[in-house]
Amino acid sequence: MKEEIIIAGFGGQGVLSMGKILAYAGLMDNLEVTWMPAYGPEQRGGTANVTVILSDKPISSPILSSYDTAVILNQQSLDKFESKVKPGGTLIYDPYGIHRAPTRTDIKVLAIPAMDATLELGNAKTYNMILLGALLSARNLLSTDAVVRGLKKTLPERHHHLIPLNVDAIAKGRSLVE
Amino acid sequence: MEEVKLMKGNEAIAHAAIRYGMDAYFGYPITPQSEVLETLEAEMPWETTGMVVLQAESEVAAINMVYGGAASGKAVMTSSSSPGVSLKQEGISYIAASEIPALIVNVMRGGPGLGTIQPSQADYFQATKGGGHGDYHLIILSPATVQEMADFVGLGMDLAFKWRNPVMILADGVVGQMMEKVVLPPFRPRRTDEEIRQQCPWAANGRHGRDHRNVVTSLEMDPERMEVNNNRLQDTYRKITEAEVRYEEKFTDDAEYLIVAFGSVARICLKAIEEMREQGIKVGLLRPITLWPFPTKEIERLSKQVKGILTVELNAGQMIEDVKLAVEGRVPVYHYGRMGGIVPAPAEIEESLKSHFLNV
């Protein structure tokens, strides 16, 4: 099993956090993981992206030319990464704010209205977890349980009461795919 | 078994330093390595192991604090990034000349000048050829994984004490900023003052019954005695060159072409090699782990086997000079590099190798 993922959007949308939670969940399932951010000033207001690799074998490069799956949160990132999804790969994107939709036909394209879904849930901070749920479902990657164990491991205890809200958001994301 | 953790390379360095029993860290923040100081401040080791963590007023102050701490036999370290390491060079030269151990971490960024904060390997020359003034060498360790970031803290400090010579961990921003799995080294206590007196009879830490006071200095007014000092340093460097070369080989057994790359770039190259091997192109990888001493003999051996060598570096071609010295013209040696903080993708490396050797 090996999944090479790019998550890209605006700084502040929870791109790096989503990658981190995914990586921790991979760790909980005893997978090899790498989390490589495009770090720097572009994280503040500009675009942000992170490459996450999950694999049952040792991982060579943490930096990639192409990806099995792209999770795209804004137009700039769609323009940049649509062509870098491997043929047969998956592109998940939120149509909110997208004015040039993906055009490729050799990949699986999933439009996940995550922004609308966060409004339904009533908490804007669940945005990235809805997309994480969609990613886990679309690629059949990790169990929600692994994500919860990862969250318990990484969140300070004073934030553990937020875990059920995140579980709901992941379930919402999953339901948008299924 | 020790717990597997997920953390950044910079964080791993901080945790490994505390666990090694480091006596002090002196530093000044600079991207992309500020997490070293930040993690140490968050962990507050002064309350547990007694390790000193101090944010100095400048890089120059920090390296001179290292000089002072090291002269007293303590295990001390600093970390910075390229422009900050340039500021430290005078102090590093003094530490090398004084034959005392210290650990310096450079998480390189794009240069020259203040440059960018993104990954680079443009300080290879500075690190391996001296950097400061005078005839001296640091032992240079080049980590490619977060695990090696953690492991090289202890290895580097041990080598520094073994040879009484400063050691540098020369990392790039990729391995500093990325997170991956790491098993941290076990805790060991800081050495007691009595252990330091026994293990470091040269240390300037009080007379303690000796008939003389130890003085640590790099100054020598008599040229003939200075030449003796120089010859002693050179003798140490020869012994280090014989004893401490470290490297990793992958797919070299049947390789027809060789890529030489260090740090995280070696991993990007490995991905390119895996893809080329699927196409039947027999490419191998040699990753120098010590950049000084350099794995000259190993590259010489492989140059008698392969048809050509490609070095891949995040610079304009620096390590390629050491590779060419090892190859002595037996086979063509080419360079592929990106600069300024740009990191090549595996496909670029594949394309470069094919264009040089396979007319593709």
Side-chain angles (χ1 to χ4, degrees):
Chain A
M1 173 269 170
K2 186 173 192 184
E3 185 81 7
E4 299 176 332
I5 304 160
I6 181 89
I7 307 165
F10 286 123
Q13 283 180 310
V15 167
L16 297 188
S17 309
M18 178 181 164
K20 205 175 267 188
I21 292 160
L22 184 61
Y24 272 107
L27 179 75
M28 292 298 122
D29 271 5
N30 292 318
L31 292 172
E32 296 299 321
V33 297
T34 60
W35 176 91
M36 178 66 212
Y39 64 91
E42 73 268 30
Q43 284 174 18
R44 298 182 186 92
T47 59
N49 71 69
V50 61
T51 303
V52 177
I53 307 175
L54 306 169
S55 176
D56 53 14
K57 295 195 185 68
I59 297 165
S60 53
S61 176
I63 288 165
L64 303 166
S65 326
S66 57
Y67 308 90
D68 297 312
T69 304
V71 181
I72 300 297
L73 282 64
N74 67 6
Q75 186 70 55
Q76 291 94 320
S77 302
L78 183 60
D79 295 345
K80 187 170 177 186
F81 292 110
E82 184 183 356
S83 64
K84 295 188 175 166
V85 178
K86 295 177 196 170
T90 303
L91 190 157
I92 297 167
Y93 78 106
D94 183 349
Y96 185 86
I98 297 290
H99 49 90
R100 284 189 305 277
T103 54
R104 281 181 64 181
T105 53
D106 62 335
I107 58 175
K108 186 175 167 191
V109 176
L110 288 170
I112 302 294
M115 189 62 85
D116 297 343
T118 53
L119 297 176
E120 277 172 41
L121 279 178
N123 188 328
K125 288 181 184 168
T126 59
Y127 180 64
N128 59 351
M129 297 302 279
I130 292 171
L131 284 159
L132 179 63
L135 168 67
L136 297 179
S137 171
R139 299 296 302 151
N140 195 19
L141 277 180
L142 299 157
S143 63
T144 302
D145 178 56
V147 178
V148 171
R149 279 182 286 137
L151 283 172
K152 278 189 182 150
K153 195 96 188 155
T154 52
L155 283 177
E157 260 190 41
R158 65 179 190 279
H159 291 148
H160 280 196
H161 69 281
L162 295 171
I163 290 175
L165 176 66
N166 284 287
V167 171
D168 289 348
I170 291 170
K172 182 84 187 169
R174 284 183 182 277
S175 73
L176 292 173
V177 174
E178 284 146 13
Chain B
M1 207 186 98
E2 271 288 323
E3 191 190 356
V4 179
K5 291 184 188 306
L6 188 68
M7 63 175 69
K8 290 187 173 193
N10 290 336
E11 295 165 346
I13 282 184
H15 286 286
I18 297 168
R19 284 164 174 254
Y20 176 82
M22 197 72 69
D23 292 306
Y25 169 95
F26 305 104
Y28 188 81
I30 177 171
T31 307
Q33 62 78 55
S34 294
E35 293 89 353
V36 179
L37 177 56
E38 287 167 8
T39 306
L40 286 169
E41 296 280 6
E43 290 294 313
M44 299 194 288
W46 54 89
E47 292 192 349
T48 51
T49 71
M51 177 184 176
V52 171
V53 179
L54 194 147
Q55 179 174 330
E57 68 270 34
S58 71
E59 288 88 347
V60 176
I63 193 67
N64 282 290
M65 290 172 184
V66 168
Y67 188 14
S72 69
K74 299 283 187 181
V76 293
M77 69 177 290
T78 186
S79 68
S80 191
S81 177
S82 308
V85 174
S86 290
L87 287 167
K88 291 181 194 289
Q89 290 300 334
E90 180 197 44
I92 293 171
S93 173
Y94 283 32
I95 293 168
S98 302
E99 298 174 87
I100 53 176
L103 180 67
I104 301 133
V105 179
N106 179 2
V107 184
M108 292 174 279
R109 54 193 259 173
L114 269 180
T116 58
I117 59 175
Q118 278 74 28
S120 169
Q121 297 177 322
D123 303 348
Y124 178 91
F125 281 152
Q126 183 194 56
T128 60
K129 310 297 178 190
H133 57 283
D135 275 321
Y136 75 90
H137 279 291
L138 308 180
I139 297 171
I140 308 292
L141 300 172
S142 165
T145 61
V146 172
Q147 186 65 54
E148 286 187 343
M149 289 287 259
D151 293 346
F152 288 179
V153 171
L155 172 65
M157 207 68 245
D158 286 346
L159 288 173
F161 274 98
K162 178 180 176 186
W163 297 103
R164 284 178 58 186
N165 198 73
V167 172
M168 178 180 279
I169 297 176
L170 188 71
D172 51 67
V174 174
V175 80
Q177 289 294 326
M178 74 180 287
M179 291 202 307
E180 63 184 346
K181 281 159 88 165
V182 59
V183 177
L184 294 171
F187 278 101
R188 56 181 226 191
R190 288 172 51 234
R191 288 176 308 158
T192 63
D193 287 348
E194 184 52 39
E195 284 168 331
I196 291 174
R197 277 194 288 277
Q198 282 170 7
Q199 291 166 21
C200 308
W202 45 266
N205 50 4
R207 280 179 72 147
H208 298 289
R210 281 190 291 254
D211 60 2
H212 65 283
R213 274 183 306 182
N214 285 335
V215 176
V216 173
T217 180
S218 66
L219 178 69
E220 176 54 69
M221 298 301 284
D222 178 350
E224 287 184 5
R225 283 163 65 174
M226 190 64 201
E227 191 176 43
V228 170
N229 290 353
N230 267 288
N231 280 328
R232 192 175 58 250
L233 286 175
Q234 294 303 319
D235 190 45
T236 301
Y237 301 148
R238 266 189 295 278
K239 288 176 185 157
I240 293 172
T241 303
E242 280 161 25
E244 303 295 356
V245 171
R246 288 169 167 78
Y247 61 95
E248 180 184 34
E249 282 182 58
K250 295 254 180 168
F251 302 114
T252 50
D253 284 351
D254 63 346
E256 294 177 5
Y257 305 96
L258 181 70
I259 293 179
V260 184
F262 63 99
S264 64
V265 180
R267 298 176 59 172
I268 305 171
C269 291
L270 189 58
K271 175 97 181 169
I273 289 169
E274 286 164 1
E275 279 163 17
M276 283 188 277
R277 288 235 157 212
E278 281 178 18
Q279 302 160 32
I281 306 166
K282 290 179 179 169
V283 188
L285 175 74
L286 186 135
R287 174 172 75 94
I289 293 172
T290 50
L291 298 179
W292 196 92
F294 194 69
T296 304
K297 284 180 191 160
E298 291 67 27
I299 291 173
E300 182 192 343
R301 165 172 58 79
L302 288 166
S303 75
K304 292 169 184 167
Q305 170 191 325
V306 300
K307 295 176 190 165
I309 297 176
L310 180 72
T311 72
V312 185
E313 307 174 59
L314 303 181
N315 59 43
Q318 299 190 12
M319 179 187 64
I320 189 173
E321 295 191 2
D322 290 325
V323 173
K324 282 184 171 174
L325 285 171
V327 172
E328 292 184 313
R330 270 179 289 271
V331 291
V333 181
Y334 297 102
H335 162 78
Y336 182 74
R338 296 298 301 264
M339 290 177 282
I342 303 286
V343 181
E348 288 174 56
I349 295 161
E350 183 178 335
E351 198 177 307
S352 173
L353 187 130
K354 285 179 176 174
S355 73
H356 284 303
F357 300 121
L358 302 167
N359 296 319
V360 180

